[in-house]
Amino acid sequence: MVFARPKDALAGAHALLAVGPTPYDASVAHQVIGIWHRDFGDLTVAIGHLRRARVLAARSGSPDREADVLATLGAALIHAGRTRHGMGALQQAVARGEGLTAARVLYRRGYVWWVLGNHREALADLRQAIPVLRRSHDTIWTARALTLRATVHLALGSAEQAEADFVAAELLWAGTDQDHDKADAVENRGLAAFRAGDLPMALRHFDEAARRYTELGTPMFVLNIRRCAALLAAGLATEALEEADAAASLLARRGGQSTRGAELLLTAARAAIAAGDPHAAMARATLAARQFSRQRRDWWHAHARLVLLQARFAAGQVSGRLVGDAAAVAARLAGLGSPEAVQAELLAGRTALALGRADEAARHLTVAARTRNRGPALARVDGWVAHALCAEAAGRTHTLLGACRRGLDLLDEHRMTLGASELRARAAAQGAELALLAQRVALAKGDPRRLLEWSERWRATALTIPPTRPPDDPELLRAVTAFREIASRVEEARGQGVPVPSLERELRRLERDIRAHTLRTRSGEGPHGHRFRVASLLERLEDGWLVEIVAIDGTLHVLLCGRGRVRRFTAGRFADAALEADHARAGLRRVAYRRPGDWLPLLEAGGRRMEEALLGPAVRHLGEGPVVIVPPGRLHGVPWTLLPSLRGRVLSVSPSAGAWLRARQVPPSGERVVLVKGPGLATGGAEVPKLATRYGTAKVLHDGTARAAAVLAAIDGSRLTHIAAHGTFRADSPMFSSLRMDDGPLTVHDFERLDRAPHRMVLSSCDSGRLQPVGADELLGLATALLPLGTAGIVASSLPVDDEAVIPLMLSLHDGLRDGMSLAEALCDARERLPRDALHQATGWSFSAIGAG
């Protein structure tokens, strides 16, 4: 009953002890309490009850009873980190048990071997136990043993054998009332899906298992570890680190299993490396390694050593000693049968290559490259990285480029299984190294066309296809509706200065639920056919220019495309350009908030410094005609019209040259014009009534009718949509960036539910054009949600803007659109018509035309 109805089992055991049972029955009761605390409560309390159960079992005169308790006690001692005592108890249990009891004892010892990382010993015990359990028709223990054997097979990389055992176990669980074990079976299906590379399905199963464990009141920290691994594979490193640290903290407060505590530390260390904090990773990995050593867990200790060495490499601690240590860990992991041995070989190869020891690097990288044609997709990508690095060490550029191409193609296939645009964007980080290796080759060869092709190969690739439309799941729709309502109430309370912590907690919970639903979405798309071609770009540019800025090893390179040619110029350092952009954005923000000061000269001087850092000598070769800027993701928020050479020009910005080409090919949709005015604007959205008069037949939503559902229905498939509303950009969760409607926020998640986005979109809102760089060179935000759904162009601000100063800009912009101009042309013309004071000029500089509309 402990794993069917845990709370009832615990209550029943205490009730039995209260009536003065026999030693045999009292032993059972104390064992039940011990099991409950071992797995779900305080481990010290568990061991106390299990020692008492062992004494009572001996007093009862039943060797089988004593063997059963000893096996449970042994597992508890192992989890407490007392490995020698735990194994001693299990040896005694094996000696005392007979028949069915002996088989159950062997199962438990197999479980302990798995915890310790001794997988071959675990399989040996399970090989003996399973036939006896089957012959005895012991359904529950047979299912447990099959589940454990499947988990051991997965640890050794035998996915097919694991799948067969998981399926057999699930069939057996179906005929029982073991609700906890059934939840464990769902968790294991998630583990199998994760190892097979199906991340959405893995997250779906893990979330369902978590729901069941919560209902049973049985927290399972192994689930946290597995879910963190899936989050890391999805590129969600910060979330994985937060979950691992939170689970470790909860486990410590409950006095839980120290074995799981060490595993959570190791998980957090892996997440910290991926999150870009190698020093935090080193601290956690060092502590985990010490704990594994004390627990005599060689498998786990070797893995902790690997993560510690990876963290040192990430921190720049490259040395000959690191090469030797990585090689030693690789040999140790290979001896233990761990698939992670490949990662250690890759680390040794990378380090040797960084030290200029090409022959030594080649030996290690050749071993690591053997995985490129077998195993899950991400493991094979690592194999192609190793193959590319090996080719780089040998100076074989053709082989290097082939490896980069194969690896990125493989990642494309993997990302096509992900339905959520956030996952697709974040997964791009795994291809960054391959793209950079190819870019370096093109740069060294002095081939700007080839450099452009490789830069485009891994830039804003998540925009090449629309995200999978979120399912019409009633639970998800309820969560979205509740989120909008609670967000509206929180916003109202904040405006009144009233703290509402309970509502804010509920809002965060709803955000987590919506995001979890979205991440579980599987893609219905096959591999896309969008391949960037330089010739197509040059043909489409006609008399215009496209300037693609590429960051390679900290230096900006400008690829000037136009007049049938691609030319490369070296500009400034990335860090200098980013700093100048931050200063310019800060200045524009101060003007928007009407801070006193003579801002125009300062902004113009900042624009000159930005131009030097961002464009360098390319400026002198930029002829007449419209310009498209394609910056690196982390420079997308630059106020480009502050640059002297771009001021007064028809200018648009695009996440990639490929995205601009696709936007050029988007046909107009319908004739409907939609005007939306959200609540709380200082001017009352004064441009909207004036625009309604000018457009005549436009559909206008305002003053209570601008509710999220009505707005989405109206703008779906429209030719032109103008939304005047307060905008909120969420750097911590860009998919919840929003526009404020009458009934609450309209988020990126909502826009992704459109069948077809408006052909042209004007967002007269603060921060509506801000985009969060993620992955390699991917972007998340309102604009990037619209482009793959059929929007050709967007006008939006990447900064806060003054509501009153926006009105003349917007009215002039629409005058240009009604005269047949493109968005970029109309915005340029509207800027020229603005008053020359700092406030109006800064407002014009804060807006950009995105895309090709």
Side-chain angles (χ1 to χ4, degrees):
M1 195 189 290
V2 179
F3 297 106
R5 300 189 303 280
K7 293 176 184 176
D8 292 346
L10 187 64
H14 282 296
L16 179 58
L17 290 174
V19 299
T22 65
Y24 188 101
D25 289 352
S27 171
V28 172
H30 279 288
Q31 186 181 9
V32 164
I33 297 170
I35 291 171
W36 193 95
H37 278 285
R38 182 195 68 191
D39 288 357
F40 314 126
D42 189 321
L43 195 52
T44 303
V45 173
I47 291 171
H49 280 284
L50 293 172
R51 290 194 187 284
R52 180 64 179 154
R54 191 266 174 99
V55 170
L56 291 165
R59 192 180 300 166
S60 75
S62 169
D64 273 359
R65 175 96 286 273
E66 189 175 2
D68 199 71
V69 174
L70 277 166
T72 303
L73 175 61
L77 290 168
I78 293 289
H79 278 305
R82 298 160 67 180
T83 303
R84 184 169 60 83
H85 292 95
M87 292 309 299
L90 281 158
Q91 290 303 107
Q92 293 179 57
V94 170
R96 283 172 172 73
E98 294 182 353
L100 180 59
T101 299
R104 291 177 175 179
V105 169
L106 284 171
Y107 158 77
R108 288 174 174 126
R109 192 171 70 174
Y111 167 79
V112 162
W113 286 130
W114 170 68
V115 169
L116 294 173
N118 295 28
H119 297 106
R120 294 183 181 91
E121 290 85 348
L123 289 176
D125 276 350
L126 292 170
R127 245 181 248 115
Q128 292 183 65
I130 289 171
V132 177
L133 296 170
R134 277 178 164 154
R135 284 197 300 271
S136 302
H137 303 290
D138 191 336
T139 302
I140 290 172
W141 286 82
T142 302
R144 286 176 182 163
L146 288 169
T147 299
L148 176 59
R149 189 169 70 179
T151 307
V152 175
H153 281 315
L154 277 182
L156 293 171
S158 303
E160 290 182 5
Q161 290 170 286
E163 177 67 17
D165 278 345
F166 277 141
V167 170
E170 198 165 351
L171 290 172
L172 293 173
W173 288 128
T176 73
D177 64 350
Q178 299 294 111
D179 289 340
H180 179 86
D181 286 312
K182 287 179 179 178
D184 185 58
V186 174
E187 178 187 336
N188 286 320
R189 286 171 64 191
L191 178 61
F194 170 56
R195 293 295 169 84
D198 190 344
L199 285 177
M201 186 56 69
L203 292 170
R204 181 182 296 274
H205 288 316
F206 288 154
D207 288 348
E208 173 60 18
R211 185 190 65 77
R212 295 190 187 193
Y213 289 140
T214 300
E215 287 180 357
L216 292 167
T218 57
M220 290 298 289
F221 296 98
V222 173
L223 174 61
N224 294 114
I225 293 166
R226 291 170 173 173
R227 190 170 184 278
C228 286
L231 291 173
L232 281 175
L236 301 169
T238 302
E239 289 86 341
L241 179 57
E242 289 172 354
E243 180 164 338
D245 281 344
S249 178
L250 175 61
L251 181 68
R253 289 199 304 273
R254 296 175 71 101
Q257 302 169 354
S258 63
T259 50
R260 297 297 178 226
E263 291 166 27
L264 283 165
L265 275 172
L266 179 58
T267 299
R270 287 185 173 122
I273 293 174
D277 192 349
H279 295 287
M282 282 189 274
R284 288 166 172 81
T286 300
L287 189 54
R290 287 177 188 157
Q291 293 189 19
F292 289 136
S293 182
R294 284 198 297 269
Q295 295 164 4
R296 302 185 180 187
R297 301 171 73 188
D298 289 347
W299 167 283
W300 291 98
H301 181 263
H303 285 80
R305 284 283 299 158
L306 170 60
V307 174
L308 177 58
L309 297 177
Q310 289 171 327
R312 287 175 181 167
F313 181 83
Q317 298 178 13
V318 178
S319 65
R321 180 178 177 180
L322 184 59
V323 177
D325 288 347
V329 168
R332 180 68 184 132
L333 289 169
L336 291 166
S338 170
E340 291 292 299
V342 171
Q343 291 297 321
E345 295 282 7
L346 183 55
L347 175 61
R350 284 185 201 277
T351 310
L353 199 59
L355 293 171
R357 290 150 60 167
D359 291 343
E360 190 174 3
R363 285 200 303 275
H364 293 294
L365 293 170
T366 299
V367 175
R370 291 172 188 162
T371 62
R372 66 188 185 275
N373 292 318
R374 65 175 187 270
L378 296 182
R380 285 152 57 202
V381 170
D382 284 338
W384 284 113
V385 170
H387 193 52
L389 289 171
C390 194
E392 182 185 42
R396 303 193 310 270
T397 57
H398 182 74
T399 303
L400 185 154
L401 293 175
C404 293
R405 192 172 291 109
R406 293 286 297 276
L408 293 176
D409 286 347
L410 186 60
L411 266 176
D412 271 339
E413 291 175 20
H414 164 67
R415 293 198 303 155
M416 288 307 102
T417 68
L418 309 175
S421 54
E422 181 178 4
L423 283 189
R424 288 178 182 169
R426 293 187 185 277
Q430 289 148 333
E433 186 174 10
L434 288 167
L436 179 59
L437 287 169
Q439 284 176 317
R440 284 174 179 160
V441 169
L443 184 62
K445 285 182 172 292
D447 187 341
R449 278 191 176 230
R450 183 68 61 87
L451 180 56
L452 178 60
E453 288 172 352
W454 278 108
S455 300
E456 281 291 305
R457 179 65 184 83
W458 211 241
R459 173 172 281 189
T461 54
L463 303 183
T464 57
I465 57 171
T468 300
R469 194 173 187 273
D472 291 325
D473 182 333
E475 185 180 345
L476 173 59
L477 296 175
R478 281 195 297 272
V480 169
T481 302
F483 168 80
R484 196 168 287 122
E485 168 64 21
I486 297 296
S488 182
R489 289 167 61 187
V490 167
E491 184 71 25
E492 183 179 350
R494 285 173 180 165
Q496 297 170 359
V498 179
V500 281
S502 60
L503 285 179
E504 288 175 345
R505 283 194 299 273
E506 177 64 6
L507 190 65
R508 289 193 294 271
R509 184 192 69 78
L510 288 166
E511 275 192 21
R512 288 194 300 271
D513 286 352
I514 294 167
R515 190 162 183 253
H517 268 89
T518 306
L519 295 182
R520 295 195 299 259
T521 304
R522 300 183 75 185
S523 174
E525 299 279 349
H528 64 81
H530 299 299
R531 278 287 180 264
F532 174 76
R533 291 178 176 83
V534 175
S536 299
L537 172 68
L538 295 173
E539 182 183 343
R540 282 282 184 172
L541 283 171
E542 298 171 353
D543 62 345
W545 301 90
L546 183 137
V547 179
E548 179 143 341
I549 304 173
V550 181
I552 301 176
D553 298 322
T555 298
L556 296 178
H557 299 270
V558 179
L559 296 173
L560 183 59
C561 310
R563 309 299 192 267
R565 300 171 61 193
V566 179
R567 287 175 287 172
R568 184 190 68 82
F569 302 90
T570 303
R573 299 289 296 172
F574 177 90
D576 295 337
L579 185 62
E580 289 296 342
D582 286 343
H583 288 160
R585 289 172 59 82
L588 290 169
R589 200 176 286 114
R590 291 187 183 99
V591 176
Y593 290 132
R594 304 197 179 208
R595 302 279 168 80
D598 189 10
W599 293 107
L600 272 179
L602 292 174
L603 289 169
E604 289 171 345
R608 289 190 291 272
R609 290 193 300 272
M610 276 198 300
E611 180 167 279
E612 182 62 29
L614 288 163
L615 300 181
V619 169
R620 295 191 292 274
H621 301 269
L622 192 59
E624 297 296 321
V627 178
V628 181
I629 298 285
V630 179
R634 284 162 181 76
L635 293 176
H636 212 277
V638 168
W640 295 98
T641 47
L642 257 180
L643 276 61
S645 63
L646 301 179
R647 205 173 301 159
R649 297 187 73 143
V650 174
L651 175 71
S652 58
V653 183
S654 180
S656 70
W660 180 81
L661 274 173
R662 288 188 294 277
R664 282 288 304 267
Q665 297 164 9
V666 174
S669 54
E671 292 298 321
R672 188 166 68 257
V673 175
V674 180
L675 306 172
V676 179
K677 178 170 71 73
L681 295 169
T683 62
E687 80 261 30
V688 172
K690 295 177 181 179
L691 290 175
T693 301
R694 297 183 186 187
Y695 279 105
T697 60
K699 183 172 182 61
V700 184
L701 297 169
H702 62 112
D703 299 335
T705 63
R707 300 177 65 83
V711 170
L712 289 171
I715 70 175
D716 202 320
S718 64
R719 177 174 63 85
L720 172 64
T721 290
H722 177 104
I723 299 180
H726 282 301
T728 301
F729 176 73
R730 289 278 302 276
D732 64 318
S733 190
M735 301 301 284
F736 282 94
S737 297
S738 62
L739 302 173
R740 188 170 154 204
M741 298 294 104
D742 287 332
D743 59 341
L746 188 66
T747 69
V748 176
H749 287 297
D750 292 313
F751 280 115
E752 288 191 341
R753 300 188 70 85
L754 293 170
D755 287 324
R756 181 165 185 182
H759 181 68
R760 286 176 170 176
M761 191 108 168
V762 178
L763 299 175
S764 175
S765 316
C766 297
D767 292 322
S768 53
R770 277 188 70 183
L771 300 170
Q772 180 68 12
V774 298
D777 230 344
E778 304 290 327
L779 296 160
L780 291 176
L782 290 169
T784 52
L786 295 165
L787 290 174
L789 293 172
T791 293
I794 304 159
V795 167
S797 169
S798 59
L799 287 157
V801 287
D802 182 89
D803 287 353
E804 290 182 9
V806 164
I807 294 172
L809 180 72
M810 291 295 113
L811 294 176
S812 293
L813 170 75
H814 280 277
D815 286 343
L817 293 178
R818 292 170 64 235
D819 287 341
M821 294 182 184
S822 69
L823 285 172
E825 290 167 338
L827 182 58
C828 177
D829 187 65
R831 285 196 197 100
E832 291 299 311
R833 298 186 187 189
L834 287 173
R836 295 301 168 186
D837 61 275
L839 181 61
H840 286 90
Q841 289 298 300
T843 301
W845 290 332
S846 296
F847 278 87
S848 299
I850 303 169

